[in-house]
Amino acid sequence: MTTQIKDPVHGYIELDDAVVDRVIDTSPFQRLRYVRQLSATHLVYPAANHTRFEHSLGVYHLGRRVFENLREEPYFTRETSPAVLDEIQSTLECACLLHDVGHPPFSHVCERHLDVGELRDRLAARGFVASLREAGLGDAPVREASPHELLSCLLILDSFGDALRSLSVDPEEVCAYVLGYSLVYERGGPWQHGLGAQLLHSPVDVDRLDYISRDNWMTGANVLSFDTDRMVEAYTAHPDAGLALSEKALSTLGNYLEGRIALYMWVTQHHKSVFANALLRDLTERAAALTGDPPVTVDGVVDGEIDDNTVAERLRRLARDRPNTTFATLYERYRARRFPTTCWKHRIAYADRIDVDREAFGEWLVSGADRLERELAAELGAPAHDVWIERSYVPEYEPSELADIPIAYGGTTRSAGDWGLYGDRAFDSPIPFVYVPDGDRKRATRWLVDRFRAEYGG
């Protein structure tokens, strides 16, 4: 028996009832309904209220479609039994559903509060790290993983272990997929196991394919136009080369690449998005300092199932109880969406107003942000909390990695960049933004440029 869920991005998503009962309709998974995908970006794009819940369903849907398409290819099933392919598909589907189950409240904004050492220790205590070592992977998968990935693995083992085993799925293999590996493949199993992990964690993974489409649709930014169905049909693989896109993708790949960059620049890196998320981050850090108790902890997610609402209510109460504090001032600024002006809103204005080496200037700004904020605030006669120097709140989303998208043609696989599909385009890193009180933009810009010249002779 199956259940259908209507999704605004992909249409009907079909799920086995057993998966719905044992994975989706559980409290730890339903928590994702209350964790926004884009943190505080809804303060800029009002419709950006989509959550990790529907994103997880979308990744499941795409992963299932791609794998079922691959199973129609004779080369993919050669010398591999249907039972083995069923095992891989079930593992992939469960990993797609659970890959973000450990996201803390407000997603990446609060990820900094998770204790990575504690997460690694807990995974070691449950034997998962030993399994990675036994497979020849060492500690690299857990050492390189993000905090939310580690917390996802912990929840998979603790909260979903029995459910996954009842579905004939190995919880440790699901965790390995979340981190981009397959224990079965590393131990010498069929190459399709490794491909399953790549579908969830690689430059062409279905995780990106969903959030790119979903973020564009749900924000209403409309900066992306590409054929998702065509991309799904273009996935291919080879025992040696691994996962790639076939030449079928060429007609839509350019739109995918340009659209991804546009989404990054005008949604994730919109100057007000950057400030909204920086302000929320600052509030959570101030709350931790004021109370001595971080608003987000590993146990808070695992045992308390905290979500955006939990943290938002804690911030509200803290501001109410401390009405004449900087915290209360900043909280009211967040609630009322009263954002300061920025010295430049986009790359064109940045290039126009900063007449020195902009790359060096940007690094100088960000690396010395705390000092420069204090000094600039003093120069402007403004409170220290009225001057902000910020860059990307999710720097790992930088688009340069798209150059590594593998394209298969003529029996070989090379990156999209090697095929010349980018032309001479260079991928820009995110620009820094400087936020100051209204009316101080020009004065602040002049002061920063003069100070940079004085310190670096630029």
Side-chain angles (χ1 to χ4, degrees):
M1 298 289 292
T2 61
T3 295
Q4 285 188 331
I5 297 175
K6 187 63 178 292
D7 178 68
V9 177
H10 303 304
Y12 284 105
I13 295 174
E14 188 171 283
L15 301 118
D16 293 336
D17 283 350
V19 172
V20 174
D21 292 341
R22 299 171 198 178
V23 176
I24 295 175
D25 285 351
T26 64
S27 187
F29 192 87
Q30 291 291 317
R31 181 187 73 90
L32 297 181
R33 288 184 183 272
Y34 311 104
V35 178
R36 283 191 178 94
Q37 179 84 5
L38 294 180
S39 306
T41 303
H42 64 286
L43 296 180
V44 181
Y45 291 93
N49 286 299
H50 55 301
T51 68
R52 295 284 163 180
F53 180 85
E54 54 260 44
H55 165 63
S56 298
L57 294 180
V59 175
Y60 160 89
H61 173 71
L62 293 174
R64 181 173 184 169
R65 284 184 60 194
V66 171
F67 198 83
E68 288 181 345
N69 286 347
L70 290 174
R71 293 185 70 163
E72 297 297 319
E73 301 293 335
Y75 74 90
F76 191 73
T77 58
R78 190 178 302 127
E79 300 179 357
T80 305
S81 70
V84 169
L85 295 175
D86 287 344
E87 175 189 341
I88 299 169
Q89 181 168 341
S90 295
T91 302
L92 172 64
E93 291 174 358
C94 291
C96 287
L97 281 174
L98 294 170
H99 78 286
D100 271 354
V101 74
H103 253 297
F106 294 109
S107 295
H108 293 285
V109 164
C110 288
E111 197 166 0
R112 66 184 59 238
H113 293 292
L114 297 176
D115 188 329
V116 174
E118 177 186 354
L119 287 167
R120 290 171 180 163
D121 289 344
R122 290 197 186 191
L123 291 174
R126 284 150 183 78
F128 179 58
V129 175
S131 295
L132 292 170
R133 291 171 179 163
E134 182 271 331
L137 291 166
D139 297 342
V142 294
R143 190 174 62 251
E144 297 168 359
S146 65
H148 82 267
E149 290 173 333
L150 295 175
L151 185 48
S152 292
C153 288
L154 183 63
L155 281 164
I156 288 166
L157 295 174
D158 284 3
S159 300
F160 295 94
D162 291 341
L164 292 171
R165 282 185 284 269
S166 74
L167 297 169
S168 300
V169 173
D170 179 5
E172 287 197 341
E173 181 74 342
V174 171
C175 291
Y177 273 40
V178 169
L179 302 184
Y181 299 88
S182 165
L183 296 173
V184 177
Y185 172 70
E186 297 296 336
R187 292 167 180 155
W191 64 275
Q192 291 92 339
H193 286 275
L195 182 110
Q198 284 185 297
L199 272 172
L200 183 58
H201 204 296
S202 70
V204 289
D205 61 42
V206 291
D207 181 16
R208 300 168 204 265
L209 192 58
D210 180 79
Y211 75 63
I212 290 169
S213 303
R214 191 170 302 279
D215 291 353
N216 179 68
W217 178 268
M218 300 307 295
T219 59
N222 200 29
V223 295
L224 175 66
S225 177
F226 77 98
D227 190 337
T228 303
D229 291 336
R230 186 73 171 173
M231 289 283 286
V232 167
E233 293 172 0
Y235 279 87
T236 186
H238 186 276
D240 298 322
L243 188 66
L245 295 173
S246 73
E247 59 189 284
K248 290 181 181 178
L250 295 180
S251 62
T252 193
L253 184 60
N255 290 339
Y256 173 81
L257 298 173
E258 293 298 323
R260 174 65 182 99
I261 295 166
L263 191 70
Y264 176 78
M265 297 305 297
W266 302 115
V267 175
T268 307
Q269 292 309 299
H270 187 287
H271 63 101
K272 290 190 182 296
S273 292
V274 171
F275 183 80
N277 286 288
L279 179 56
L280 178 58
R281 180 204 67 211
D282 187 75
L283 285 168
T284 63
E285 291 175 346
R286 288 176 183 271
L290 284 170
T291 64
D293 183 20
V296 173
T297 62
V298 173
D299 283 337
V301 175
V302 173
D303 299 326
E305 297 181 0
I306 59 174
D307 54 35
D308 290 10
N309 298 329
T310 314
V311 174
E313 177 60 11
R314 179 175 177 181
L315 298 179
R316 185 190 72 82
R317 288 174 178 266
L318 198 57
R320 180 199 63 189
D321 295 342
R322 292 168 170 79
N324 299 313
T325 61
T326 298
F327 181 88
T329 298
L330 292 176
Y331 178 78
E332 175 58 25
R333 190 172 294 176
Y334 176 78
R335 285 286 292 178
R337 195 188 175 277
R338 289 188 288 105
F339 295 168
T341 189
T342 179
C343 290
W344 46 83
K345 296 182 179 180
H346 42 67
R347 189 170 297 279
I348 295 175
Y350 183 57
D352 178 61
R353 294 168 190 170
I354 305 303
D355 57 351
V356 293
D357 183 332
R358 285 182 291 278
E359 183 175 351
F361 179 79
E363 289 304 316
W364 172 76
L365 269 183
V366 174
S367 63
D370 290 343
R371 172 181 68 89
L372 292 171
E373 286 172 349
R374 291 193 302 271
E375 293 177 358
L376 179 55
E379 172 68 19
L380 299 176
H385 61 262
D386 277 354
V387 175
W388 300 62
I389 297 173
E390 298 292 340
R391 194 155 60 176
S392 169
Y393 79 100
V394 280
E396 64 270 27
Y397 280 23
E398 291 184 22
S400 58
E401 62 196 10
L402 294 176
D404 295 327
I405 290 179
I407 304 295
Y409 177 75
T412 64
T413 301
R414 293 163 57 187
S415 74
D418 290 342
W419 284 114
L421 296 179
Y422 293 96
D424 296 326
R425 178 170 188 135
F427 289 97
D428 296 320
S429 60
I431 64 172
F433 295 106
V434 177
Y435 304 92
V436 295
D438 289 344
D440 285 334
R441 175 177 58 81
K442 292 182 179 180
R443 182 180 170 194
T445 303
R446 285 195 302 270
W447 185 89
L448 287 168
V449 170
D450 289 344
R451 176 55 61 93
F452 175 76
R453 285 197 176 109
E455 294 186 8
Y456 283 87

